[in-house]
Amino acid sequence: MSTHTHAHQFDTPQQQHQATRLGMWAFLITEVMLFSGMFVAYILYRTWYPEAFIEGSSHLDVMLGTINTLVLISSSFTMVLAVHAAAEGKKQAIQKNLVLTLVLGLVFLGIKAVEYSHKFHDHLVPGPNFAHEGIHGGHLQLFYSLYFAMTGTHAFHMIIGMGLLVYLFIRAGKGAFNKDHTAVELVGLYWHFVDLVWIFLFPLLYLLGRHL
Amino acid sequence: MTRLQRKHYINNGYGALSWFLTLDHKRIALLYLITATLFFALGGAFAIAIRLELLTPAGDMVQSETYNKMFTMHGIIMVFFFLIPAIPAVLGNFLLPIMIGARDMAFPKLNLASWYIYMLGGLFTFVAMALGGVDTGWTFYTPYSSTYANSQVIITALGVFITGFSSILTGLNFLVTIHTMRAPGMSWFRLPLFVWAHYAASLIMVLGTPVVSITIILVALERLFHLGIFDPALGGDPILFQHLFWFYSHPAVYIMILPAMGVMSELIATFSRKRIFGYSFVASSSLAIAVLGFLVWGHHMFVSGQSMYAGLVFSILSFLVAIPSAIKVFNWLATLFRGSISLQTPMIYAFGFIGLFTIGGLTGLFLACLAVDVHVHDTYFIVAHFHYIMVGGVIMAYLGGIHYWWPKITGRMYPEWWGKFSAVVIFIGFNLTFLPQFVVGYLGMPRRYHFYPEEFQILNVLSTAGASILGIGYMIPLFYLVWSLRYGKVAGPNPWNAKGLEWTIPSPPPTENFDGTPEVTEEAYNYGTNHA
Amino acid sequence: MNSKFPLFPEAASSFAHHVDTLYFFLIALSVFFSVLIFGLVLFFAFRYKRKPNAEDPKPMLGDLRLELTWSIIPLLITMVIFVWGGLLYYHQLTPPANAQEIFGIGKQWMWKFYHPEGRNEINELHVPVGRPTKVILTSEDVLHDLFIPAFRTKMDVLPGRYTQIWFTPTKTGTYHLFCAEYCGTKHADMKGTVTVMSPLEYQGWLNGELGQDRMDKTGKELFKQFACQTCHQDQSLSRGPSLTGVYDSMVLLNNGKTVKADADYLRESILKPKAKIVQGYDAIMPTYKGQISEEQLIQIIEYIKSLKEPQKEVN
């Protein structure tokens, strides 16, 4: 069996490839459902309290948000290059692009951390220290609750994705993807999904209805 | 018994590690069987304590706080740690690959990981219990759970969240396995109905569970970091929590009942020696239940303050779910018609299922019916109804399935008389426990009441008396099944002379299930073909 | 509550018998189908019991006509139940215009009821027989649910908004009142009694407690105390809209929509004044959130409700 490139439960490598890809897509659907719970809450509250939400987004740093969006899109690009390199069996190119993706991911999280610390500094974190309620009767905190829950869940997914990148990097070093690069492909799918979530979060949280 | 021991999945490796690191779906199924049974015993112990407390109108056995924690733990353990995994993770895990002619699940490591995740979730729940327990009810309604409750909400929420992932991964594994691992000739409409039912249930696990996971996490975040997404003080909506919660937790009932219906189809076909009448209708009704099941969650909220029009829409959709359920029951009846029926233990359980599920389903109509629900909502009527479906129906089918496939799983037969006896005791005990609850519910006794007005006492005493019979009924199989492991008659590959790939291989099955990949050339339940 | 061992609850509201009739219909239906299904299972089990060495029966694949029959008949039956239950639900949720209003506040773990005439009570609710009565409900903390089995109705009680429940009691007597939504440690203790009295007795009971001001009078004092009248005057140039006759009227908002000025709207306007702005006015009102209790809110609303005719208005 050891000469085969597929696990014992499969009959052919094609069957294994089909199964793992289907598994990943099914997993991404569960991820969509996970985020959709929060998107439903966002849509509902935004409809109820549009003014507080506009006020809330105007306290977010569009510049940093835009930079982060670009960073993530670039990381998706380097991830594509990594998958491409894996398909061609180029070990160095895989590793180079994985590192680039990882660095861009770190930049994203770093900028996110800066943004979070500004919010702490400005007392825009929900809870007893929240200091900017003004006329909005709690709804501003609702916006920031959603902001932290959604971007926090997203950042958590980024961290998991970066763990996977490190794993791929080590495996690539051992030449694991010479024959079968499905793992790189699957992590790529996951990484693109996480980017895609941000592509929704950014306009919803930072841009929509904002006084520019 | 031959002296020369044949290798099979049980004797293929000894020692704890060979079990705890196994990737064999059959061994993982046994891990689930043992742990789920332990969770059931624990949940059952809480149930007994609750019924004992309710013997008298006064709250004289435990403090209210303790009582509230008991029914909360009873609900959480039974729902998340027993009923949801019971049939899929035990019987589904064991049989699904074999039934479609595969050597294992598509992702054996993920399968084992699911069990560890399940255990980790259980560990969190135990830690929460050790630290004083949780008293929110298994429904975690906000703002009580997020702000006011003074118990271990966060740890328990994490336990439920983690266990949810076990369920998601199991469902995902099933879906991919059914899609990609079917043996040559095993077309979709040759699949045993057990597989169809698990396919439908897996869809719900994959689509629904993430929603309740994030919802429960939001509650935990609200407690931990004041992220007040459901907090009315911030303009948040506690009803939104209920929508998100029931969006999963209603379909969760179908995660339990669909696999149970799958078991039923297998039992009825085998013990009446007939192909299931209207196979394609039974198969597609599973999918219909899964899809419709996602559209009816609002029937838990007819008096929550949601709009009346939402109530009307959810009511009519809820009635529609009754149709595919009715289709299944009538097709089973038609299968029995002119069958060759033998009343062996699994069939007695199957009849028990039909009885309890029919009562549970019909009383479901009372609850889908808006005006009656207004009165019986959150009373013991509801408690009785969902126990008929989730406990009566599901456990009847689960035990029926365990008895049916026990010879396959262990290679041994159990004592037939005891099997029938336990089925009858459970059926009687169950009805004695829960029929009085319909009456006391319509009388107006609210659920989750530690003490109650005196005039409800006699019905509660009846219910507790029934529960003691039910408890004994559930314990009997434990003894003779364990006994049979050593002393039971050797079963042979096909003791029921049944159709289906699982009966073509030795009992217990070899680790790789089949010698080579089997070729499927006939329809499911291909009985009576000598007539043709 | 007379019998020691009742099997059926008393029916003491105008729709109790309607709910019961539907309930009995459902029971009859359930018994019919249960007997049919159990009967067939047992009949088949004995009629078609396997004989030793019997050949397998002929396979029957299915029959579309049968499938349609047992899909369509249940569908029709359930639609009958749906329409019947839906109509009655509409009735249960829609109080008549002339219903007398009482306010109820739930909190861990007691019920407080406020009669407009000024009498308050805890864990007891007195209502006159034969008069449609609406209870406007809110919670000071978690979810509760006001459940009166004898009236066959219940409604969740939520913090941050009003819900309502209504009934016309038809029989004098004392009935249970429960909290039906789990609300914490002493949930089972959050119960009381509803006493249905003849109108005359009720009048006597209302006047029974001396020294209680009518709710609208207390509300009027609060209205002054919070300086509401600074802006809400009956003059055309006042900064806030006039409140005379506003209760239950339709109000035109600055976004072109109209809303009904019910208790929930007034409550929202006091606590979240920016949410809905009356056309022609500026969004200048400050929030009273955190300054005003649930009890004071219903008193002020009761006062606003009393502002019916301009000439009645003193000021």
Side-chain angles (χ1 to χ4, degrees), chain B residues 135 233 273-274 278 302-303 331 340-341 374-375 377 442 449 454-455 531, chain C residues 4 20 48 50 56 60-61 67 89 154 156 161 176 179-180 182 185 289:
Chain B
D135 74 333
R273 304 206 63 76
K274 265 179 75 191
F302 288 156
V303 295
N331 276 299
S340 172
I341 298 169
V374 167
H375 177 58
H377 174 79
Y442 199 80
Y449 258 35
E454 268 176 32
E455 71 260 29
H531 294 278
Chain C
K4 269 280 170 216
D20 290 345
Y48 303 116
R50 187 179 303 171
D56 283 354
M60 299 188 295
L61 294 185
E67 300 288 349
Y89 180 66
K154 66 161 69 69
D156 276 9
R161 58 174 277 202
H176 285 302
C179 174
Y182 177 66
T185 310
K289 197 180 149 115

mmCIF file of all heavy atoms in Angstrom, chain B residues 135 233 273-274 278 302-303 331 340-341 374-375 377 442 449 454-455 531, chain C residues 4 20 48 50 56 60-61 67 89 154 156 161 176 179-180 182 185 289:
data_model
loop_
_atom_site.group_PDB
_atom_site.id
_atom_site.type_symbol
_atom_site.label_atom_id
_atom_site.label_comp_id
_atom_site.label_asym_id
_atom_site.label_seq_id
_atom_site.Cartn_x
_atom_site.Cartn_y
_atom_site.Cartn_z
ATOM 1 N N ASP B 135 -27.685 26.988 35.428
ATOM 2 C CA ASP B 135 -29.121 26.969 35.716
ATOM 3 C C ASP B 135 -29.942 27.737 34.693
ATOM 4 O O ASP B 135 -30.980 28.283 35.012
ATOM 5 C CB ASP B 135 -29.363 27.539 37.115
ATOM 6 C CG ASP B 135 -29.191 29.045 37.141
ATOM 7 O OD1 ASP B 135 -28.422 29.553 36.304
ATOM 8 O OD2 ASP B 135 -29.830 29.706 37.972
ATOM 9 N N ALA B 233 -30.794 46.240 27.232
ATOM 10 C CA ALA B 233 -30.389 47.548 27.743
ATOM 11 C C ALA B 233 -29.658 48.353 26.673
ATOM 12 O O ALA B 233 -29.614 49.587 26.728
ATOM 13 C CB ALA B 233 -29.498 47.380 28.974
ATOM 14 N N ARG B 273 -39.811 -9.032 5.502
ATOM 15 C CA ARG B 273 -39.204 -9.610 4.304
ATOM 16 C C ARG B 273 -39.776 -9.008 3.041
ATOM 17 O O ARG B 273 -40.179 -9.692 2.112
ATOM 18 C CB ARG B 273 -39.373 -11.141 4.291
ATOM 19 C CG ARG B 273 -38.824 -11.812 5.536
ATOM 20 C CD ARG B 273 -38.422 -13.238 5.313
ATOM 21 N NE ARG B 273 -37.341 -13.373 4.343
ATOM 22 C CZ ARG B 273 -36.063 -13.095 4.593
ATOM 23 N NH1 ARG B 273 -35.700 -12.626 5.764
ATOM 24 N NH2 ARG B 273 -35.144 -13.259 3.663
ATOM 25 N N LYS B 274 -39.810 -7.687 3.018
ATOM 26 C CA LYS B 274 -40.333 -6.999 1.835
ATOM 27 C C LYS B 274 -39.530 -5.744 1.587
ATOM 28 O O LYS B 274 -39.025 -5.110 2.514
ATOM 29 C CB LYS B 274 -41.802 -6.602 2.062
ATOM 30 C CG LYS B 274 -42.784 -7.612 1.526
ATOM 31 C CD LYS B 274 -44.196 -7.159 1.797
ATOM 32 C CE LYS B 274 -44.615 -6.047 0.860
ATOM 33 N NZ LYS B 274 -45.873 -5.432 1.277
ATOM 34 N N GLY B 278 -42.929 2.101 -1.584
ATOM 35 C CA GLY B 278 -42.695 3.506 -1.933
ATOM 36 C C GLY B 278 -41.313 3.989 -1.543
ATOM 37 O O GLY B 278 -41.169 5.064 -0.948
ATOM 38 N N PHE B 302 -44.473 31.356 19.353
ATOM 39 C CA PHE B 302 -45.792 31.931 19.067
ATOM 40 C C PHE B 302 -46.212 32.967 20.102
ATOM 41 O O PHE B 302 -47.013 33.839 19.810
ATOM 42 C CB PHE B 302 -46.852 30.830 18.975
ATOM 43 C CG PHE B 302 -46.755 29.984 17.729
ATOM 44 C CD1 PHE B 302 -47.263 28.696 17.712
ATOM 45 C CD2 PHE B 302 -46.184 30.480 16.570
ATOM 46 C CE1 PHE B 302 -47.187 27.915 16.566
ATOM 47 C CE2 PHE B 302 -46.104 29.709 15.415
ATOM 48 C CZ PHE B 302 -46.609 28.423 15.422
ATOM 49 N N VAL B 303 -45.728 32.848 21.322
ATOM 50 C CA VAL B 303 -46.105 33.855 22.327
ATOM 51 C C VAL B 303 -44.874 34.618 22.813
ATOM 52 O O VAL B 303 -44.851 35.144 23.913
ATOM 53 C CB VAL B 303 -46.846 33.237 23.534
ATOM 54 C CG1 VAL B 303 -48.174 32.668 23.116
ATOM 55 C CG2 VAL B 303 -46.002 32.168 24.210
ATOM 56 N N ASN B 331 -46.176 4.461 4.536
ATOM 57 C CA ASN B 331 -45.409 3.529 3.708
ATOM 58 C C ASN B 331 -44.910 2.336 4.515
ATOM 59 O O ASN B 331 -44.844 1.220 3.995
ATOM 60 C CB ASN B 331 -44.236 4.253 3.032
ATOM 61 C CG ASN B 331 -44.665 4.956 1.760
ATOM 62 O OD1 ASN B 331 -45.127 4.326 0.816
ATOM 63 N ND2 ASN B 331 -44.549 6.276 1.735
ATOM 64 N N SER B 340 -44.264 -10.852 5.450
ATOM 65 C CA SER B 340 -44.078 -12.105 6.172
ATOM 66 C C SER B 340 -43.432 -11.701 7.482
ATOM 67 O O SER B 340 -42.224 -11.650 7.614
ATOM 68 C CB SER B 340 -43.185 -13.037 5.346
ATOM 69 O OG SER B 340 -42.845 -14.164 6.123
ATOM 70 N N ILE B 341 -44.302 -11.374 8.444
ATOM 71 C CA ILE B 341 -43.855 -10.621 9.610
ATOM 72 C C ILE B 341 -43.409 -11.541 10.732
ATOM 73 O O ILE B 341 -44.135 -12.447 11.127
ATOM 74 C CB ILE B 341 -44.996 -9.702 10.101
ATOM 75 C CG1 ILE B 341 -45.339 -8.705 8.994
ATOM 76 C CG2 ILE B 341 -44.591 -8.978 11.376
ATOM 77 C CD1 ILE B 341 -46.591 -7.924 9.245
ATOM 78 N N VAL B 374 -50.888 28.615 22.204
ATOM 79 C CA VAL B 374 -50.864 29.731 23.146
ATOM 80 C C VAL B 374 -51.126 29.220 24.561
ATOM 81 O O VAL B 374 -50.480 29.639 25.517
ATOM 82 C CB VAL B 374 -51.907 30.799 22.745
ATOM 83 C CG1 VAL B 374 -52.119 31.803 23.866
ATOM 84 C CG2 VAL B 374 -51.471 31.505 21.477
ATOM 85 N N HIS B 375 -52.052 28.275 24.669
ATOM 86 C CA HIS B 375 -52.363 27.755 25.995
ATOM 87 C C HIS B 375 -51.311 26.768 26.498
ATOM 88 O O HIS B 375 -50.885 26.839 27.642
ATOM 89 C CB HIS B 375 -53.746 27.096 25.990
ATOM 90 C CG HIS B 375 -54.115 26.459 27.297
ATOM 91 N ND1 HIS B 375 -54.161 27.156 28.483
ATOM 92 C CD2 HIS B 375 -54.423 25.178 27.622
ATOM 93 C CE1 HIS B 375 -54.488 26.332 29.462
ATOM 94 N NE2 HIS B 375 -54.644 25.132 28.968
ATOM 95 N N HIS B 377 -48.131 26.165 25.392
ATOM 96 C CA HIS B 377 -46.720 26.529 25.290
ATOM 97 C C HIS B 377 -46.081 26.623 26.678
ATOM 98 O O HIS B 377 -46.667 27.179 27.595
ATOM 99 C CB HIS B 377 -46.622 27.885 24.579
ATOM 100 C CG HIS B 377 -45.231 28.434 24.529
ATOM 101 N ND1 HIS B 377 -44.303 27.999 23.628
ATOM 102 C CD2 HIS B 377 -44.612 29.361 25.289
ATOM 103 C CE1 HIS B 377 -43.168 28.638 23.824
ATOM 104 N NE2 HIS B 377 -43.323 29.473 24.828
ATOM 105 N N TYR B 442 -52.151 20.500 29.920
ATOM 106 C CA TYR B 442 -53.334 21.250 29.507
ATOM 107 C C TYR B 442 -54.011 21.876 30.715
ATOM 108 O O TYR B 442 -54.608 22.952 30.623
ATOM 109 C CB TYR B 442 -54.325 20.352 28.742
ATOM 110 C CG TYR B 442 -55.292 21.177 27.925
ATOM 111 C CD1 TYR B 442 -54.911 21.696 26.694
ATOM 112 C CD2 TYR B 442 -56.565 21.489 28.407
ATOM 113 C CE1 TYR B 442 -55.757 22.499 25.958
ATOM 114 C CE2 TYR B 442 -57.431 22.286 27.670
ATOM 115 C CZ TYR B 442 -57.016 22.790 26.443
ATOM 116 O OH TYR B 442 -57.858 23.595 25.715
ATOM 117 N N TYR B 449 -40.879 23.959 36.736
ATOM 118 C CA TYR B 449 -41.382 24.394 38.038
ATOM 119 C C TYR B 449 -40.884 23.440 39.107
ATOM 120 O O TYR B 449 -41.146 22.244 39.055
ATOM 121 C CB TYR B 449 -42.924 24.424 38.024
ATOM 122 C CG TYR B 449 -43.485 25.815 37.864
ATOM 123 C CD1 TYR B 449 -42.834 26.746 37.075
ATOM 124 C CD2 TYR B 449 -44.660 26.205 38.518
ATOM 125 C CE1 TYR B 449 -43.329 28.027 36.930
ATOM 126 C CE2 TYR B 449 -45.168 27.486 38.376
ATOM 127 C CZ TYR B 449 -44.502 28.387 37.585
ATOM 128 O OH TYR B 449 -45.000 29.656 37.435
ATOM 129 N N GLU B 454 -51.201 22.074 44.545
ATOM 130 C CA GLU B 454 -51.508 20.712 45.004
ATOM 131 C C GLU B 454 -52.342 19.887 44.035
ATOM 132 O O GLU B 454 -52.184 18.680 43.951
ATOM 133 C CB GLU B 454 -52.268 20.784 46.336
ATOM 134 C CG GLU B 454 -51.351 20.712 47.525
ATOM 135 C CD GLU B 454 -52.135 20.878 48.818
ATOM 136 O OE1 GLU B 454 -53.307 20.456 48.849
ATOM 137 O OE2 GLU B 454 -51.565 21.445 49.767
ATOM 138 N N GLU B 455 -53.248 20.556 43.305
ATOM 139 C CA GLU B 455 -54.156 19.735 42.510
ATOM 140 C C GLU B 455 -53.463 19.034 41.337
ATOM 141 O O GLU B 455 -54.055 18.196 40.688
ATOM 142 C CB GLU B 455 -55.343 20.569 42.007
ATOM 143 C CG GLU B 455 -54.999 21.570 40.937
ATOM 144 C CD GLU B 455 -54.842 22.977 41.489
ATOM 145 O OE1 GLU B 455 -54.449 23.106 42.672
ATOM 146 O OE2 GLU B 455 -55.109 23.932 40.738
ATOM 147 N N HIS B 531 -40.170 -14.779 -7.009
ATOM 148 C CA HIS B 531 -41.458 -14.712 -7.687
ATOM 149 C C HIS B 531 -41.289 -14.202 -9.109
ATOM 150 O O HIS B 531 -42.090 -14.492 -9.970
ATOM 151 C CB HIS B 531 -42.415 -13.772 -6.963
ATOM 152 C CG HIS B 531 -42.781 -14.281 -5.609
ATOM 153 N ND1 HIS B 531 -43.762 -15.222 -5.400
ATOM 154 C CD2 HIS B 531 -42.276 -13.986 -4.396
ATOM 155 C CE1 HIS B 531 -43.852 -15.484 -4.108
ATOM 156 N NE2 HIS B 531 -42.960 -14.744 -3.473
ATOM 157 N N LYS C 4 -59.930 18.291 43.976
ATOM 158 C CA LYS C 4 -58.584 17.924 44.398
ATOM 159 C C LYS C 4 -57.821 17.274 43.254
ATOM 160 O O LYS C 4 -56.604 17.214 43.256
ATOM 161 C CB LYS C 4 -58.677 16.950 45.586
ATOM 162 C CG LYS C 4 -58.674 17.674 46.915
ATOM 163 C CD LYS C 4 -57.245 18.043 47.243
ATOM 164 C CE LYS C 4 -57.100 18.968 48.428
ATOM 165 N NZ LYS C 4 -56.027 19.911 48.256
ATOM 166 N N ASP C 20 -60.920 25.109 23.801
ATOM 167 C CA ASP C 20 -61.229 23.734 24.203
ATOM 168 C C ASP C 20 -61.866 22.942 23.076
ATOM 169 O O ASP C 20 -61.558 21.768 22.875
ATOM 170 C CB ASP C 20 -62.149 23.738 25.427
ATOM 171 C CG ASP C 20 -61.416 24.215 26.672
ATOM 172 O OD1 ASP C 20 -60.169 24.258 26.638
ATOM 173 O OD2 ASP C 20 -62.083 24.554 27.667
ATOM 174 N N TYR C 48 -50.433 -11.376 8.964
ATOM 175 C CA TYR C 48 -49.357 -11.762 8.051
ATOM 176 C C TYR C 48 -48.151 -12.319 8.801
ATOM 177 O O TYR C 48 -47.017 -12.176 8.385
ATOM 178 C CB TYR C 48 -48.939 -10.569 7.186
ATOM 179 C CG TYR C 48 -50.081 -9.995 6.410
ATOM 180 C CD1 TYR C 48 -50.534 -8.696 6.651
ATOM 181 C CD2 TYR C 48 -50.731 -10.765 5.440
ATOM 182 C CE1 TYR C 48 -51.595 -8.178 5.944
ATOM 183 C CE2 TYR C 48 -51.808 -10.242 4.729
ATOM 184 C CZ TYR C 48 -52.236 -8.954 4.989
ATOM 185 O OH TYR C 48 -53.286 -8.445 4.293
ATOM 186 N N ARG C 50 -45.298 -14.579 10.037
ATOM 187 C CA ARG C 50 -44.505 -15.470 9.194
ATOM 188 C C ARG C 50 -44.780 -16.924 9.549
ATOM 189 O O ARG C 50 -44.791 -17.292 10.721
ATOM 190 C CB ARG C 50 -43.017 -15.169 9.369
ATOM 191 C CG ARG C 50 -42.166 -15.952 8.385
ATOM 192 C CD ARG C 50 -40.693 -15.633 8.534
ATOM 193 N NE ARG C 50 -40.453 -14.203 8.377
ATOM 194 C CZ ARG C 50 -39.282 -13.640 8.641
ATOM 195 N NH1 ARG C 50 -38.279 -14.361 9.101
ATOM 196 N NH2 ARG C 50 -39.123 -12.347 8.484
ATOM 197 N N ASP C 56 -40.671 -15.835 0.704
ATOM 198 C CA ASP C 56 -40.811 -14.391 0.870
ATOM 199 C C ASP C 56 -42.010 -13.903 0.059
ATOM 200 O O ASP C 56 -42.286 -14.409 -1.023
ATOM 201 C CB ASP C 56 -39.553 -13.685 0.357
ATOM 202 C CG ASP C 56 -38.421 -13.806 1.362
ATOM 203 O OD1 ASP C 56 -38.676 -14.332 2.460
ATOM 204 O OD2 ASP C 56 -37.304 -13.381 1.039
ATOM 205 N N MET C 60 -43.844 -5.385 -3.362
ATOM 206 C CA MET C 60 -44.761 -4.343 -3.855
ATOM 207 C C MET C 60 -43.945 -3.062 -3.900
ATOM 208 O O MET C 60 -43.465 -2.606 -2.872
ATOM 209 C CB MET C 60 -45.938 -4.163 -2.909
ATOM 210 C CG MET C 60 -46.791 -5.391 -2.729
ATOM 211 S SD MET C 60 -48.280 -5.051 -1.780
ATOM 212 C CE MET C 60 -47.622 -4.631 -0.204
ATOM 213 N N LEU C 61 -43.767 -2.513 -5.069
ATOM 214 C CA LEU C 61 -42.820 -1.403 -5.161
ATOM 215 C C LEU C 61 -43.400 -0.093 -4.665
ATOM 216 O O LEU C 61 -42.706 0.723 -4.080
ATOM 217 C CB LEU C 61 -42.343 -1.261 -6.601
ATOM 218 C CG LEU C 61 -41.510 -2.466 -7.055
ATOM 219 C CD1 LEU C 61 -40.945 -2.245 -8.437
ATOM 220 C CD2 LEU C 61 -40.376 -2.745 -6.066
ATOM 221 N N GLU C 67 -49.743 6.974 -2.535
ATOM 222 C CA GLU C 67 -48.875 8.015 -1.982
ATOM 223 C C GLU C 67 -49.601 9.356 -1.988
ATOM 224 O O GLU C 67 -49.547 10.113 -1.004
ATOM 225 C CB GLU C 67 -47.576 8.132 -2.785
ATOM 226 C CG GLU C 67 -46.725 6.874 -2.846
ATOM 227 C CD GLU C 67 -46.034 6.528 -1.537
ATOM 228 O OE1 GLU C 67 -46.024 7.370 -0.617
ATOM 229 O OE2 GLU C 67 -45.516 5.396 -1.421
ATOM 230 N N TYR C 89 -56.266 32.389 16.985
ATOM 231 C CA TYR C 89 -55.035 33.065 17.433
ATOM 232 C C TYR C 89 -55.160 34.561 17.198
ATOM 233 O O TYR C 89 -54.815 35.378 18.060
ATOM 234 C CB TYR C 89 -53.883 32.491 16.614
ATOM 235 C CG TYR C 89 -52.484 33.033 16.885
ATOM 236 C CD1 TYR C 89 -51.847 32.808 18.098
ATOM 237 C CD2 TYR C 89 -51.779 33.688 15.877
ATOM 238 C CE1 TYR C 89 -50.543 33.254 18.306
ATOM 239 C CE2 TYR C 89 -50.478 34.123 16.078
ATOM 240 C CZ TYR C 89 -49.865 33.911 17.292
ATOM 241 O OH TYR C 89 -48.582 34.345 17.490
ATOM 242 N N LYS C 154 -51.591 33.190 27.235
ATOM 243 C CA LYS C 154 -50.342 33.583 27.866
ATOM 244 C C LYS C 154 -49.593 34.488 26.924
ATOM 245 O O LYS C 154 -49.876 34.535 25.724
ATOM 246 C CB LYS C 154 -49.501 32.357 28.239
ATOM 247 C CG LYS C 154 -48.976 31.545 27.078
ATOM 248 C CD LYS C 154 -47.824 30.655 27.479
ATOM 249 C CE LYS C 154 -48.168 29.505 28.391
ATOM 250 N NZ LYS C 154 -48.967 28.449 27.789
ATOM 251 N N ASP C 156 -45.409 36.236 26.520
ATOM 252 C CA ASP C 156 -44.088 36.528 27.074
ATOM 253 C C ASP C 156 -44.004 37.987 27.498
ATOM 254 O O ASP C 156 -44.625 38.856 26.886
ATOM 255 C CB ASP C 156 -42.990 36.238 26.041
ATOM 256 C CG ASP C 156 -42.602 34.761 26.034
ATOM 257 O OD1 ASP C 156 -43.298 33.968 26.688
ATOM 258 O OD2 ASP C 156 -41.604 34.431 25.383
ATOM 259 N N ARG C 161 -39.512 46.481 26.150
ATOM 260 C CA ARG C 161 -40.656 46.750 25.275
ATOM 261 C C ARG C 161 -41.934 46.251 25.937
ATOM 262 O O ARG C 161 -41.901 45.566 26.952
ATOM 263 C CB ARG C 161 -40.484 46.114 23.907
ATOM 264 C CG ARG C 161 -40.293 44.620 23.940
ATOM 265 C CD ARG C 161 -40.265 44.049 22.552
ATOM 266 N NE ARG C 161 -41.625 43.844 22.054
ATOM 267 C CZ ARG C 161 -41.914 42.990 21.069
ATOM 268 N NH1 ARG C 161 -40.981 42.328 20.469
ATOM 269 N NH2 ARG C 161 -43.166 42.841 20.684
ATOM 270 N N HIS C 176 -55.473 30.451 38.856
ATOM 271 C CA HIS C 176 -54.018 30.525 38.899
ATOM 272 C C HIS C 176 -53.481 31.553 37.913
ATOM 273 O O HIS C 176 -54.032 31.751 36.839
ATOM 274 C CB HIS C 176 -53.400 29.181 38.512
ATOM 275 C CG HIS C 176 -53.504 28.154 39.578
ATOM 276 N ND1 HIS C 176 -52.975 28.337 40.824
ATOM 277 C CD2 HIS C 176 -54.078 26.935 39.587
ATOM 278 C CE1 HIS C 176 -53.216 27.256 41.549
ATOM 279 N NE2 HIS C 176 -53.892 26.398 40.821
ATOM 280 N N CYS C 179 -45.915 32.334 36.043
ATOM 281 C CA CYS C 179 -44.890 32.744 35.094
ATOM 282 C C CYS C 179 -44.513 31.482 34.328
ATOM 283 O O CYS C 179 -44.121 30.486 34.925
ATOM 284 C CB CYS C 179 -43.650 33.302 35.788
ATOM 285 S SG CYS C 179 -42.328 33.635 34.604
ATOM 286 N N ALA C 180 -44.652 31.538 33.017
ATOM 287 C CA ALA C 180 -44.411 30.334 32.215
ATOM 288 C C ALA C 180 -43.092 30.383 31.454
ATOM 289 O O ALA C 180 -42.788 29.478 30.712
ATOM 290 C CB ALA C 180 -45.565 30.097 31.245
ATOM 291 N N TYR C 182 -39.105 30.432 31.919
ATOM 292 C CA TYR C 182 -38.118 30.233 32.967
ATOM 293 C C TYR C 182 -37.320 31.522 33.217
ATOM 294 O O TYR C 182 -36.766 32.114 32.296
ATOM 295 C CB TYR C 182 -37.164 29.103 32.578
ATOM 296 C CG TYR C 182 -36.070 28.913 33.594
ATOM 297 C CD1 TYR C 182 -36.369 28.480 34.874
ATOM 298 C CD2 TYR C 182 -34.757 29.201 33.284
ATOM 299 C CE1 TYR C 182 -35.376 28.325 35.813
ATOM 300 C CE2 TYR C 182 -33.749 29.057 34.219
ATOM 301 C CZ TYR C 182 -34.067 28.623 35.486
ATOM 302 O OH TYR C 182 -33.079 28.487 36.420
ATOM 303 N N THR C 185 -33.896 31.383 39.651
ATOM 304 C CA THR C 185 -34.011 30.510 40.823
ATOM 305 C C THR C 185 -35.444 30.289 41.285
ATOM 306 O O THR C 185 -35.895 29.172 41.434
ATOM 307 C CB THR C 185 -33.172 31.095 41.976
ATOM 308 O OG1 THR C 185 -31.878 31.387 41.466
ATOM 309 C CG2 THR C 185 -33.072 30.107 43.115
ATOM 310 N N LYS C 289 -33.670 57.668 29.310
ATOM 311 C CA LYS C 289 -33.216 56.334 29.685
ATOM 312 C C LYS C 289 -32.338 56.389 30.937
ATOM 313 O O LYS C 289 -31.444 57.219 31.033
ATOM 314 C CB LYS C 289 -32.415 55.766 28.532
ATOM 315 C CG LYS C 289 -32.224 54.284 28.577
ATOM 316 C CD LYS C 289 -31.419 53.893 27.374
ATOM 317 C CE LYS C 289 -30.593 52.698 27.733
ATOM 318 N NZ LYS C 289 -30.939 51.530 27.010
#
